[in-house]
Amino acid sequence: QHNGCILALSPAVCLCGFRSFCLYYFEYTECDSTGSRWRVAIPHNQGMCSGLPDPVRGTDCTFSCEAGEFLEMSAQQCTQCAAGTYSLGSGIRFDEWDDIPAGFTSLATYMDNGPGGDEALTCSNSTWTPQGNYMESNRDECTVSLIYAVHLKKQGSVSFEYQYVDNNVFFEFFIQNDQCQEMDQSSDQKWIKLTSNGEWGTHTVSLKSGTNILYWRTTGILVGAKIVKPVLLRNIQIEGVAYTSECFQCKPGTFSRTPGSSTCEPCPRNTYSSKGASSCTPCDKDKEYGSAMCREKPACSEKDYFQIHTACDSEGKTQIIYKWIEPKICVENVTGAMTLPPSGERKKCPPCNPGFYNNDTATCSPCPPGTFSDGVKECQKCPAGTEPALGYEYKWWNVLPANMKTSCFNVGNSKCDGMNGWEVAGDHIRSGAGSSDNDYLILNLRIPGFKLPTSVTGTTGTEFGRITFIFETICSADCELYFMMVRDSEPPWSSSTPFSSPPPQTRQFVNDIVKIYSITVTNALGGVASTCHACALVSQQSGSSCVPCPAGHYIDKDTNRCKECPPNTYLSGHQIYGKESCLPCGPGSKSNKEHSVCFSDCSFSHMEANQTLTYDFTQLSPVASITNGPSFTSKGTKYFHVFNVSLCGHEGKKAAVCMDNVTDLASKDVQRESRELVNYVETFICQSTIIPSDGRGFRTALSSQSISLADIFLGEIQKQLWDRREWWDMQKTEKSSSATSSCDRGRNTVIKLRCNPEKSARGELTLPRKCPAGTCDGCTFYFLWESANACPRCTEADFHEIEGACRDGIQDKHYVWNEPKLCTKGVPLPAKKTTPCESIDFWLKVGAGIGAFMAVLLIALTCYFWKKNKKLEYKYSRLVMTANKECELPAADSCAIMEGEDNDDEVVYSNKPSLLGKLKSIATKSCESVQLKPSSAERWVCG
């Protein structure tokens, strides 16, 4: 002690010593402009030490040791770490999360108070939670940041591993300087990509020298009632610190056996270690493994074993046997422990799966190429004009197929990979028990590729194969079955860091299982055939080989030749056998040249009251957007729904795009490169949930939960609507093929186009008043698009003619639209027509002349008939006067004096009555006598 003793103290980045009973430590000064610094000795208590070591020139500011070494300050030299410790050289790593490490801070905020202004929202309990091997984010709507500040002497980097599976959570990583200014970052560096369930992703960002404040920030958006899945974070490693003056001890459950280690290895199974161990200690045989100690094994129970079906023996028999779950963590020879049940009876093995055959052996073999089998009969060659339908169809589960395997994976890195994740059970395959309730039990099916049948290789469809499986979940807790697809270059379960071995968790839901009854894969490369289907032939001659049909062609059943589908029909998938495979397009739609899709070309015709209505929606074809809201979640987070609508055109291309984690919503031209950095959907109609930039303290508006509302065009119809004036409505119907838990048949979308001449050419897109979110049931969405371009094309029936006055021998004819005008474009109004005409004075003269002539003629006729009447009256009077008093008529040759007799006869009136008296006498049949000339015989007239 009198000569001085150097001690390494943790966690201070210094060395302390005793010199003349004075405690001091070494430290470097700040770097000057030349990049130099000094090493100085600083006492812990000022003014109480003397004789401190003189300052000496220190190492270069950018100096750092290699991994597995630390800087020994007294000698300023790099020294290897001792066994049981490790070092990253110029980096630091955080991989132990029993507690939040020193230097980390979890900060919860809620910046949007919602419409009620309630500032006292319950975010005090929201935090990042340590879970031993990883950190777990909050599950609510609060914004929680995990913050760490580090000072770098040189440029470095930060990397971390994460699980981010729920797009209802916004997960961002950004960096600030010591002035709280955010560093420049690209979108792919700030916004974290989603990962598959159980997959750990890695994110790396470069750091500048100086102070860097690191933020891992999450925000949940509970638009629905479903609770979000948290983000998991682990293995944070920072590079760029100038030096490390100490080594870090290995955490419990790990060890480093040699000096100069940069990592610690996990202890083998059934061993344990304490902190800073250089080796692991074996557990007793009646104890189970742990991280820091060994624990007593519990008594075996029914949760510790499972049943399987044995492989078929030489007699074609199988039986049920029971096996312990591995690794076995229970003991049988204690009180209350259960033992394995006896094996079941031997039963006949199920048949082979389709495409396989049993050649009198205990195993099933695949049928040779060009043959097929239903699994019961022997393999047979495909008939002429057919080819095998290659694929896989598994419905009998006596043994696990050769191209399938099972495994076990745990988020907490506990080892369960030695266990079978799934077990065959005759008519189904079921999930195993695993080592804990949090295990991922994986069933892997490897498909080397997909190959279309010969006849359909020329089609333009995007589907090359299809997988279909029938399953059942039997769960008392919240268990889920995930289906994922990965390429060989992208292993689904990988980890770049060693596994640690925490104590196993208790299995409480061992009886929760998933059963898969059948798995069918079509067009699998290297598959087997259970059936044969017809193919197109070059000719009908014997031995003709199969040929591919061109795009849009089907196979004729009579000739087995390729024929093009009729106009406005499309082929459904890769089924092209028979004319019935060409399905008709919906009303108002047409097919493309390849007959692969039906679409609207923005034109439509309809007959109404012997009139053809023609529509042209070309100006409505660009993508339109509509925003509804704002709406608020249960905690008051403000959000909007944005709909993008692609009405028609584009040759069936789905032009509407909705993206998640969009950082610049004002950009209309979305580049393909930026789409690769976010999750997006391309469809006819889509919806995104937008969190405004002023709502939660985000620097930009955020988009999430992008879904497709319509990716199949069904058709369009026309109907008439009366609403104060006669408007025409066009109704377009589309649907989404993606089924959801609430919409088992997918979503439907109806767009109503209303003719409204008062609107502009682009018009106005609105949502129904009763359902402001666009839907009332979550499955059917409605839109109303009012536009002048939604009116039919104008025809000659939409205007009428008006004749002008005739002036100076000229007359104008004008044409005006019928009111109200309910058409657009089409036939234009004819120009004004001018024709010669006669003036009105001429016709007036003609009319006056004709009138005068008619007046003279009328007077002449009147005079003529008056004179004629007088003559008749005279003759009548003579007859009356000659009548006798008895009113007897004399015998005469005639009853009256005929015209032409002498009208000069003298008449003598005995009485001269008036005209009225004559009429009365006639009515009363009175008799009057008229004395005629004596020369004539007396004549009587009865009147």
Side-chain angles (χ1 to χ4, degrees), residues 809-813 833-837:
I810 298 176
Q811 184 182 37
D812 293 336
K813 292 183 179 180
K833 293 182 179 180
T834 302
T835 58
C837 64

Short mmCIF file of all heavy atoms in Angstrom, two decimals, residues 809-813 833-837:
data_model
loop_
_atom_site.label_atom_id
_atom_site.label_comp_id
_atom_site.label_asym_id
_atom_site.label_seq_id
_atom_site.Cartn_x
_atom_site.Cartn_y
_atom_site.Cartn_z
N GLY A 809 -87.88 40.17 -94.94
CA GLY A 809 -87.78 38.98 -95.78
C GLY A 809 -86.78 37.94 -95.27
O GLY A 809 -86.45 37.02 -96.01
N ILE A 810 -86.28 38.07 -94.02
CA ILE A 810 -85.30 37.14 -93.45
C ILE A 810 -85.81 36.67 -92.10
O ILE A 810 -86.28 37.47 -91.28
CB ILE A 810 -83.92 37.81 -93.30
CG1 ILE A 810 -83.38 38.23 -94.67
CG2 ILE A 810 -82.95 36.85 -92.62
CD1 ILE A 810 -82.08 38.97 -94.60
N GLN A 811 -85.66 35.32 -91.86
CA GLN A 811 -86.10 34.73 -90.60
C GLN A 811 -84.97 33.88 -90.01
O GLN A 811 -84.33 33.11 -90.74
CB GLN A 811 -87.33 33.86 -90.82
CG GLN A 811 -87.91 33.29 -89.54
CD GLN A 811 -89.10 32.40 -89.81
OE1 GLN A 811 -89.11 31.68 -90.80
NE2 GLN A 811 -90.10 32.46 -88.94
N ASP A 812 -84.67 34.00 -88.66
CA ASP A 812 -83.62 33.24 -87.96
C ASP A 812 -84.26 32.09 -87.18
O ASP A 812 -85.34 32.24 -86.58
CB ASP A 812 -82.85 34.14 -86.99
CG ASP A 812 -82.04 35.19 -87.73
OD1 ASP A 812 -81.71 34.95 -88.91
OD2 ASP A 812 -81.75 36.25 -87.11
N LYS A 813 -83.53 30.94 -87.17
CA LYS A 813 -83.91 29.78 -86.37
C LYS A 813 -82.83 29.51 -85.33
O LYS A 813 -81.67 29.31 -85.68
CB LYS A 813 -84.10 28.55 -87.26
CG LYS A 813 -85.30 28.64 -88.18
CD LYS A 813 -85.48 27.36 -88.98
CE LYS A 813 -86.69 27.44 -89.88
NZ LYS A 813 -86.87 26.17 -90.66
N LYS A 833 -79.62 29.28 -87.94
CA LYS A 833 -79.95 29.16 -89.34
C LYS A 833 -80.78 30.38 -89.77
O LYS A 833 -81.69 30.80 -89.05
CB LYS A 833 -80.72 27.87 -89.62
CG LYS A 833 -79.90 26.61 -89.41
CD LYS A 833 -80.72 25.37 -89.76
CE LYS A 833 -79.89 24.10 -89.57
NZ LYS A 833 -80.66 22.88 -89.91
N THR A 834 -80.46 30.92 -90.96
CA THR A 834 -81.17 32.08 -91.50
C THR A 834 -81.80 31.70 -92.84
O THR A 834 -81.10 31.19 -93.73
CB THR A 834 -80.22 33.26 -91.69
OG1 THR A 834 -79.62 33.59 -90.44
CG2 THR A 834 -80.98 34.47 -92.23
N THR A 835 -83.13 31.91 -92.97
CA THR A 835 -83.85 31.56 -94.19
C THR A 835 -84.65 32.76 -94.67
O THR A 835 -85.07 33.61 -93.86
CB THR A 835 -84.78 30.38 -93.95
OG1 THR A 835 -85.69 30.71 -92.90
CG2 THR A 835 -84.00 29.14 -93.57
N PRO A 836 -84.87 32.90 -96.03
CA PRO A 836 -85.71 34.02 -96.53
C PRO A 836 -87.18 33.79 -96.20
O PRO A 836 -87.64 32.66 -96.07
CB PRO A 836 -85.45 33.97 -98.05
CG PRO A 836 -85.05 32.57 -98.32
CD PRO A 836 -84.30 32.11 -97.10
N CYS A 837 -87.95 34.89 -96.06
CA CYS A 837 -89.37 34.81 -95.73
C CYS A 837 -90.10 36.00 -96.33
O CYS A 837 -89.48 37.01 -96.69
CB CYS A 837 -89.58 34.74 -94.23
SG CYS A 837 -89.04 36.22 -93.35
#
